[in-house]
Amino acid sequence: MVVTELVLDNCRSSNGEIEGLNDSFKELQFLSMANVELTSLAKLPTLSKLRKLELSDNVISGGLEVLAERCPNLTYLNLSGNKIKDLGTVEALQNLKNLKSLDLFNCEITNLEDYRDSIFELLQQITYLDGFDQEDNEAPDSEDDDDEGDEDDDDDENEAGPPGEYEEEDDEDDGASDLGEGEEEEEVGLSYLMKEEIQDEEDDDDYVEGGDEEEEAEGVRGEKRKREPEDEGEEEED
């Protein structure tokens, strides 16, 4: 299992060392050891991939040159609440070439005159000191960035329209098409029935006309039969 983040806040160090923290944590990128009573960093293991180191509320007063040796890729370092008193102690951080943010809040060094200007002049690689840059612009918070990303996602969803809107439109379209098909079927049915009725009427007319012709034929045959006996009688009298 690869460990990239490790929080050991409020653990108690023994002789400046946290038991179990060693060179095996080679993949660590974030390490927090706040309020663990560290007096020095002499026993800090080599963590070449470490980017953020939290060391607030300890009793560290010097020996910061160890950081450049053991954690050369640090970009964020929090030393607030320690016993750092002078610029000479902080000068050792010049070798942290990737350092962008340094926190010395609640250290005695912050009481020095022109403290901020002096630190920015001494450590020209840093952008933020105690959470603000040289123009007093606050450092961005990664959590705030995430929130802004979520808001952007929400805006995109709102622009796209409320959920179900398109589904309702599709349902309406389907209903309209079904209704149209029903009307067509109804029209076809009516026309078909009308044709059937017309055909039935024509058939009835044919039947009636045929019946009249048969009756007329029967009448002619009857008249012939009547006339034949009469003709025979007249011949006998002659």
Side-chain angles (χ1 to χ4, degrees):
M1 180 179 178
V2 178
V3 179
T4 58
E5 296 186 7
L6 184 61
V7 178
L8 301 172
D9 297 351
N10 301 316
C11 294
R12 289 294 173 261
S13 62
S14 176
N15 297 323
E17 181 180 11
I18 298 294
E19 185 177 354
L21 181 62
N22 51 49
D23 294 343
S24 64
F25 292 92
K26 295 179 180 180
E27 301 298 322
L28 267 188
Q29 297 181 23
F30 174 83
L31 174 62
S32 182
M33 294 189 296
N35 190 30
V36 297
E37 297 183 354
L38 273 179
T39 57
S40 83
L41 300 173
K43 295 185 178 181
L44 184 70
T46 298
L47 304 170
S48 60
K49 293 186 178 181
L50 197 67
R51 297 289 186 273
K52 294 184 178 183
L53 180 59
E54 291 272 0
L55 294 172
S56 59
D57 300 321
N58 286 291
V59 286
I60 299 169
S61 58
L64 300 182
E65 62 275 356
V66 173
L67 292 174
E69 298 173 6
R70 312 279 174 83
C71 309
N73 292 309
L74 278 181
T75 60
Y76 172 85
L77 176 62
N78 188 347
L79 290 168
S80 61
N82 280 278
K83 303 297 182 180
I84 299 172
K85 300 178 181 179
D86 54 59
L87 294 174
T89 303
V90 177
E91 187 176 2
L93 299 178
Q94 287 178 333
N95 294 325
L96 288 172
K97 303 301 183 182
N98 296 317
L99 190 64
K100 299 300 179 186
S101 181
L102 174 65
D103 196 339
L104 296 171
F105 186 70
N106 278 345
C107 293
E108 290 185 39
I109 192 174
T110 60
N111 296 325
L112 295 177
E113 186 178 356
D114 298 327
Y115 152 70
R116 289 182 60 82
D117 291 338
S118 298
I119 294 294
F120 277 117
E121 183 177 352
L122 183 66
L123 303 176
Q124 296 184 8
Q125 78 272 34
I126 69 171
T127 303
Y128 299 100
L129 176 62
D130 301 333
F132 294 86
D133 64 12
Q134 286 183 281
E135 286 74 33
D136 291 331
N137 296 313
E138 189 173 2
D141 189 344
S142 58
E143 293 182 359
D144 292 340
D145 293 342
D146 293 340
D147 292 340
E148 290 178 2
D150 294 339
E151 290 176 0
D152 292 339
D153 293 340
D154 292 340
D155 291 341
D156 293 340
E157 290 180 0
N158 292 332
E159 289 177 2
E165 179 178 345
Y166 296 111
E167 293 179 2
E168 292 179 0
E169 291 180 358
D170 292 340
D171 292 341
E172 291 177 359
D173 293 341
D174 293 341
S177 61
D178 292 342
L179 179 60
E181 291 176 0
E183 290 177 351
E184 289 178 1
E185 291 177 358
E186 183 178 354
E187 290 176 359
V188 171
L190 288 173
S191 62
Y192 177 77
L193 291 176
M194 291 176 68
K195 289 179 180 179
E196 286 292 320
E197 291 178 0
I198 293 170
Q199 186 64 38
D200 290 343
E201 289 177 359
E202 290 177 353
D203 292 342
D204 291 342
D205 293 341
D206 293 342
Y207 176 77
V208 171
E209 292 175 358
D212 294 340
E213 291 176 357
E214 290 179 358
E215 289 179 358
E216 290 177 358
E218 286 292 335
V220 171
R221 285 196 292 271
E223 290 179 357
K224 287 182 179 180
R225 284 196 295 270
K226 288 180 181 179
R227 291 176 61 187
E228 287 174 358
E230 290 178 355
D231 293 341
E232 289 176 359
E234 290 177 357
E235 289 177 357
E236 288 178 359
E237 290 178 359
D238 294 340

